[in-house]
Amino acid sequence: MNNTTKDIVRKVVKDVLERFAFMFVDEPDGSEKADWSDDILHAVISFNGEFRGRLSITAPVSFCTEVTANVLGIDPEENAGEMACDALRELINIICGELVVALYGNKPIFNLSIPTLDRIDSDRCRTLSADPNHLQFSADGTPILVGLSITE
Amino acid sequence: MSLNILVVDDSAVTRAMILKSLRVAGLPLGEVHEAANGKEGLEQLEKHWLDLVLVDINMPVMNGEEMIEKMRQNPLWADIPIVVVSTEGSQVRIERLQRKGAKFVHKPFSPETIREVIQQITGIQLQTAEADHGPDF
C-alpha cells in the first residue's frame, strides 16, 4: 500500500465510522502497543472490476457490539453475538463501497464479494499489525486493523 | 393510508436500521416483511400485496439487480415502487437501475434521505420534526 492509498484508506475509514457508527477514530502513534486480548473477529471482502483487491477489518467483538448498539440506538447488553458479526460485515461492505469510489472514481463497475468472517487469535493480530498493508486505528479507544491489498 | 413494505437485505442490522429510519421518517407503515436475498424477496412478493420495496444490491443467492429485473418482467409487480439502498458507487450501475424506475439511496443514509426518496416515489406527504435532525444510518 503506497502513501497515497494509505491516506485514502484513512479518510474513508474515519469518515464511515463517524457517519455510520458515530465513533471517533484516530491513529495511535507507533509506540503504543494495542491490547488484542479480547475475542477478535476478522472480516474480509474482495472487489473485482478494473482492478482487483481485498479489504480486511480486524476488530474485537466488543467493537462490533458497540457498532451495533450505536447504529440501532440500543443498549450494548441487548446485542446478540450474531448481530455484532452482522454489523462488522455491513461495516466492511460500506467501507469497501466507499473505498473503490475514492480510489478509482464513480465510472468503473466493481463487484463486491459477500463478506466473510473468522475468529482469530491475538498472535495473528500482532502479525497483521506488523504487516505494511495494514493500518491500525483506535475507534472510541478500541484498536482495529484495516488491511488492503490490490492486484493491478 | 398505510404502506405495506418489503425490506430485502442480507444484513439483519441494516434491515433493522431501515425500519427504524422509516418509523423516524413518519412513514405510515402497514405490514412489514423482510427477506435476506432477492430470491426470498420474490417469494415474499408472491405471498403478500406490497406497496413499496427497499432492496440492497450485493446479496448472496440472488442479488438486488436480478430481483428488480424479475419484478419488472412480472405484470403483477412491474409498477411497485422500488428504492435501492446500497453501497453501490458506480454511476453506470446506478443509472441502469434508475432506468428500471428504481430510486437510489446510498449507504450510510439518514432518515431524511429515506423520507425524501419515499415521498418522491410514492407521492405521499410525511411530516415529522425528528427526521430533520436524525443521524446517518
Side-chain angles (χ1 to χ4, degrees), chain B residues 1-5 19 22-23 26-32 52:
Chain B
M1 176 198 169
S2 58
L3 295 174
N4 294 341
I5 66 159
L19 290 173
L22 296 177
R23 292 188 178 105
L27 189 75
L29 295 180
E31 292 177 24
V32 174
L52 176 67

Side-chain angles (χ1 to χ4, degrees), chain A residues 90, chain B residues 7-12 14-15 18 35-36 56 59 85 107:
Chain A
E90 187 62 3
Chain B
V7 181
V8 188
D9 198 303
D10 57 326
S11 165
T14 301
R15 294 199 302 270
I18 289 171
D56 187 19
M59 295 182 289
V85 184
K107 292 178 186 175

Side-chain angles (χ1 to χ4, degrees), chain B residues 2-137:
Chain B
S2 58
L3 295 174
N4 294 341
I5 66 159
L6 171 63
V7 181
V8 188
D9 198 303
D10 57 326
S11 165
V13 169
T14 301
R15 294 199 302 270
M17 282 161 44
I18 289 171
L19 290 173
K20 187 176 176 190
S21 293
L22 296 177
R23 292 188 178 105
V24 169
L27 189 75
L29 295 180
E31 292 177 24
V32 174
H33 302 282
E34 298 183 39
N37 59 61
K39 184 171 177 284
E40 287 183 12
L42 294 174
E43 288 166 3
Q44 292 292 325
L45 279 159
E46 283 170 0
K47 290 182 203 162
H48 309 285
W49 184 258
L50 293 159
D51 301 302
L52 176 67
V53 173
L54 296 104
V55 59
D56 187 19
I57 293 298
N58 188 29
M59 295 182 289
V61 185
M62 181 189 286
N63 69 35
E65 209 168 355
E66 287 176 75
M67 180 185 163
I68 291 169
E69 190 64 46
K70 288 186 186 300
M71 283 180 68
R72 292 313 188 214
Q73 288 168 359
N74 185 324
L76 285 176
W77 306 331
D79 296 324
I80 296 176
I82 299 171
V83 178
V84 174
V85 184
S86 169
T87 60
E88 182 58 55
S90 165
Q91 203 54 40
V92 174
R93 190 176 264 159
I94 291 170
E95 285 169 7
R96 200 159 71 203
L97 293 164
Q98 287 170 334
R99 281 197 295 275
K100 290 173 185 159
K103 293 282 183 185
F104 188 85
V105 171
H106 198 265
K107 292 178 186 175
F109 55 84
S110 64
E112 59 265 32
T113 306
I114 289 268
R115 181 180 64 177
E116 283 167 17
V117 168
I118 289 175
Q119 277 182 331
Q120 285 172 23
I121 202 163
T122 63
I124 64 170
Q125 291 300 309
L126 309 171
Q127 287 187 333
T128 171
E130 195 181 351
D132 292 331
H133 306 288
D136 282 358
F137 286 125

Side-chain angles (χ1 to χ4, degrees), chain A:
Chain A
M1 210 180 343
N2 63 35
N3 286 337
T4 305
T5 304
K6 281 182 180 173
D7 285 345
I8 291 171
V9 172
R10 286 186 183 103
K11 186 175 183 310
V12 169
V13 169
K14 288 179 182 179
D15 183 54
V16 171
L17 274 170
E18 284 173 16
R19 286 194 295 134
F20 174 68
F22 320 113
M23 296 177 106
F24 178 72
V25 180
D26 62 9
E27 282 185 88
D29 67 44
S31 64
E32 290 177 47
K33 295 281 182 197
D35 177 14
W36 291 109
S37 57
D38 203 345
D39 199 7
I40 303 156
L41 294 172
H42 181 68
V44 176
I45 189 169
S46 55
F47 53 92
N48 193 348
E50 208 168 290
F51 298 88
R52 295 166 65 180
R54 186 174 175 274
L55 178 75
S56 68
I57 297 181
T58 307
V61 171
S62 57
F63 164 83
C64 307
T65 304
E66 191 176 341
V67 170
T68 311
N70 287 359
V71 299
L72 295 181
I74 59 176
D75 192 295
E77 301 293 315
E78 292 177 49
N79 289 336
E82 186 51 38
M83 204 73 154
C85 294
D86 191 78
L88 184 59
R89 283 194 205 98
E90 187 62 3
L91 178 65
I92 197 170
N93 186 41
I94 292 174
I95 288 176
C96 193
E98 297 270 317
L99 191 60
V100 292
V101 172
L103 288 169
Y104 307 114
N106 66 4
K107 292 217 166 29
I109 293 178
F110 284 96
N111 293 311
L112 308 189
S113 71
I114 304 301
T116 60
L117 208 61
D118 288 310
R119 285 179 192 270
I120 63 171
D121 60 25
S122 53
D123 286 345
R124 174 93 195 280
C125 273
R126 289 186 196 98
T127 305
L128 291 175
S129 60
D131 183 294
N133 285 327
H134 285 74
L135 295 173
Q136 187 171 313
F137 299 91
S138 171
D140 284 0
T142 304
I144 63 167
L145 285 171
V146 177
L148 176 67
S149 58
I150 297 170
T151 309
E152 301 275 338

